[in-house]
Amino acid sequence: MAEQTFPPTVHQLKMNQQLRCLFTIIRDKDTPRDQFIFYSDRLIRLLIEEGLSYLPFKEQEVVTPTGSTYSGYQFSSKICGVSIVRAGESMENGLRQVCQKIRIGKILIQRKADTTPEFLYAKLPRDIAERSVLLLDPMLATGGTVCCAIDVLLKHGVKEENIVFLNLISAPEGIAILTKAYPNIHIITGEVDSHLNEVGYIMPGIGDFGDRYFGTDHD
């Protein structure tokens, strides 16, 4: 992918041959569903681990089994996940594997006939305004859906700077829209693709991630 310059709130996984190999597998249209899920889950977990590093921490000292003091860190705020239904739900297991007993909310948004997003439903932790939020959706294309989801979180009292958006593949157009509308939100992405085509699909892209992950494609 061509090098692109983005604001400092946009963070891409450090690319190496292994990571590129994983992306190659899930992008391949001929990859069987079980392999698509397996390698997507590996990438999702890496993405979540990276995203956690942008949450607030505070210093903490512990005593090791040798009787020595170790100066480290601990999370300084409560956290929760929020998935954008349906594709975002594919990232929930990875989050639970990393953060045991984490609370996960859901936001349902659908596209109207003219492709504009329409908010339908949200089920969120009651104290979400007091939490740092990991917002989950594997694709960032035009940015319309995630902007709608962020509006929902803000209306529920979540601070903009307490939102970290995690996604596997982004389009530069979506990043531009999201960072302009919400400059204080951290975006953690696996890869940034070339562009959106004339109908708003990410190119070279991956197809419909939710369909491929949940087995509802019609190919």
Side-chain angles (χ1 to χ4, degrees), residues 47-211:
L47 195 69
I48 291 169
E49 294 281 13
E50 178 68 15
L52 290 171
S53 67
Y54 293 95
L55 298 179
F57 291 83
K58 62 182 179 181
E59 294 181 352
Q60 181 185 25
E61 288 190 348
V62 297
V63 178
T64 73
T66 66
S68 303
T69 299
Y70 178 81
S71 298
Y73 291 92
Q74 65 176 345
F75 290 113
S76 62
S77 71
K78 296 184 291 184
I79 66 175
C80 73
V82 173
S83 62
I84 300 176
V85 180
R86 169 185 64 148
E89 293 175 306
S90 66
M91 305 174 74
E92 292 180 3
N93 285 337
L95 181 56
R96 289 192 180 99
Q97 290 170 3
V98 174
C99 303
Q100 294 181 339
K101 298 182 180 179
I102 188 170
R103 296 183 182 183
I104 299 180
K106 296 179 184 291
I107 296 176
L108 175 60
I109 296 166
Q110 75 172 10
R111 292 272 180 176
K112 297 180 182 179
D114 61 359
T115 74
T116 58
E118 179 183 19
F119 167 68
L120 294 180
Y121 172 82
K123 185 66 173 178
L124 305 170
R126 293 181 179 178
D127 61 348
I128 193 169
E130 303 170 11
R131 295 177 179 268
S132 293
V133 177
L134 297 171
L135 183 59
L136 311 174
D137 196 8
M139 301 290 107
L140 172 59
T142 63
T145 298
V146 68
C147 284
C148 183
I150 291 170
D151 284 340
V152 173
L153 294 176
L154 296 179
K155 289 176 182 177
H156 281 78
V158 180
K159 295 180 180 178
E160 183 178 318
E161 60 269 23
N162 289 345
I163 301 172
V164 177
F165 175 50
L166 306 178
N167 71 97
L168 283 175
I169 298 174
S170 298
E173 295 91 335
I175 291 177
I177 288 172
L178 186 52
T179 54
K180 182 178 180 180
Y182 307 102
N184 297 314
I185 289 178
H186 285 281
I187 302 171
I188 319 299
T189 190
E191 281 195 307
V192 180
D193 275 12
S194 173
H195 65 284
L196 296 176
N197 67 9
E198 63 277 3
V199 293
Y201 292 166
I202 302 174
M203 302 299 289
I206 196 172
D208 189 306
F209 186 93
D211 280 349

